[in-house]
Amino acid sequence: KAGVTQTPRYLIKTRGQQVTLSCSPISGHRSVSWYQQTPGQGLQFLFEYFSETQRNKGNFPGRFSGRQFSNSRSEMNVSTLELGDSALYLCASSPHRVVDTEAFFGQGTRLTVV
Amino acid sequence: QKEVEQNSGPLSVPEGAIASLNCTYSDRGSQSFFWYRQYSGKSPELIMSIYSNGDKEDGRFTAQLNKASQYVSLLIRDSQPSDSATYLCAVENTGNQFYFGTGTSLTVIP
């Protein structure tokens, strides 16, 4: 069974640009959640999608958005990038809930904003 | 005040000892509590969840919850070098938002 796949693994962008990250969940999983991890702030919850609807949202500005497709694949978009957006972005998939014994994380996308 | 606070450590224990990791949270109405383990350079993995006051045991791991004190802990008995990792405490608050502590780095010394 394939795991959670995130693409790309590494990305370098310039301040002011926008970026789209992709997450392919484990087959059969309908919940996809996104996280930002930085050394200073730690792991922070961005949002969760379930059956193409955003079901949960953390405290991030509107520059951070996402969507989920009918095949449960999810994308996260960050517009007008700032230096502080440099981070490891993780997604996790689960059959039903954000946190679940069957929830697994992808390897992450390392975003560097210069 | 942060939603979830953990002692960042590092915490060092000898092999075979009990490692005790602690976490406090600010939203008194929070109902769901989780512990994740994250090895260096790897993604987090869920190791324990607890929802009721008291202790919950799973193998060498015991999660303890005290809602009155807004305190969650994780005990690792018979610590092994393979337990060396960063442990993240997470809380689902009354608004169904998830907050993580910054993690406690644990080193088990052979």
Side-chain angles (χ1 to χ4, degrees):
Chain A
K1 196 174 188 180
V4 180
T5 303
Q6 290 189 245
T7 56
R9 290 294 309 279
Y10 302 92
L11 207 49
I12 299 175
K13 288 288 188 179
T14 303
R15 191 170 45 181
Q17 286 186 313
Q18 75 165 15
V19 67
T20 299
L21 312 182
S22 178
C23 176
S24 293
I26 292 171
S27 178
H29 285 192
R30 296 164 67 189
S31 168
V32 175
S33 50
W34 287 89
Y35 306 80
Q36 181 196 66
Q37 188 168 35
T38 60
Q41 298 296 317
L43 190 64
Q44 297 183 86
F45 173 74
L46 279 155
F47 34 66
E48 181 222 7
Y49 283 85
F50 184 87
S51 293
E52 301 180 65
T53 301
Q54 187 180 87
R55 191 166 64 171
N56 256 319
K57 189 177 187 305
N59 293 326
F60 275 79
R63 299 186 298 108
F64 293 81
S65 63
R67 60 177 175 169
Q68 186 180 33
F69 301 94
S70 58
N71 62 357
S72 293
R73 188 177 72 85
S74 178
E75 289 182 346
M76 189 192 85
N77 185 274
V78 188
S79 63
T80 319
L81 284 165
E82 300 176 0
L83 295 179
D85 296 333
S86 295
L88 179 67
Y89 289 89
L90 293 161
C91 78
S93 80
S94 152
H96 306 293
R97 298 191 64 217
V98 173
V99 184
D100 191 287
T101 53
E102 294 298 314
F104 296 95
F105 281 83
Q107 291 303 301
T109 294
R110 173 76 61 185
L111 172 65
T112 302
V113 182
V114 298
Chain B
Q1 182 188 9
K2 287 192 172 184
E3 293 278 344
V4 179
E5 302 218 42
Q6 292 181 254
N7 185 332
S8 62
L11 174 66
S12 293
V13 300
E15 184 174 356
I18 296 176
S20 177
L21 306 164
N22 305 315
C23 171
T24 58
Y25 59 95
S26 61
D27 184 343
R28 181 171 289 278
S30 298
Q31 296 294 321
S32 306
F33 308 87
F34 312 95
W35 283 99
Y36 287 81
R37 177 176 62 200
Q38 186 172 24
Y39 292 113
S40 180
K42 300 294 185 182
S43 299
E45 55 179 325
L46 180 68
I47 55 173
M48 289 288 286
S49 57
I50 186 166
Y51 305 96
S52 305
N53 274 329
D55 295 0
K56 179 181 177 182
E57 189 174 315
D58 184 359
R60 296 186 296 110
F61 298 97
T62 299
Q64 299 176 317
L65 174 61
N66 183 324
K67 290 185 178 180
S69 301
Q70 295 173 239
Y71 179 92
V72 191
S73 65
L74 179 70
L75 301 178
I76 306 175
R77 291 183 302 281
D78 187 24
S79 295
Q80 301 297 309
S82 58
D83 295 327
S84 297
T86 296
Y87 290 80
L88 305 172
C89 171
V91 175
E92 181 179 9
N93 72 1
T94 49
N96 297 118
Q97 292 190 322
F98 293 86
Y99 291 93
F100 293 81
T102 52
T104 297
S105 175
L106 171 67
T107 300
V108 180
I109 303 166

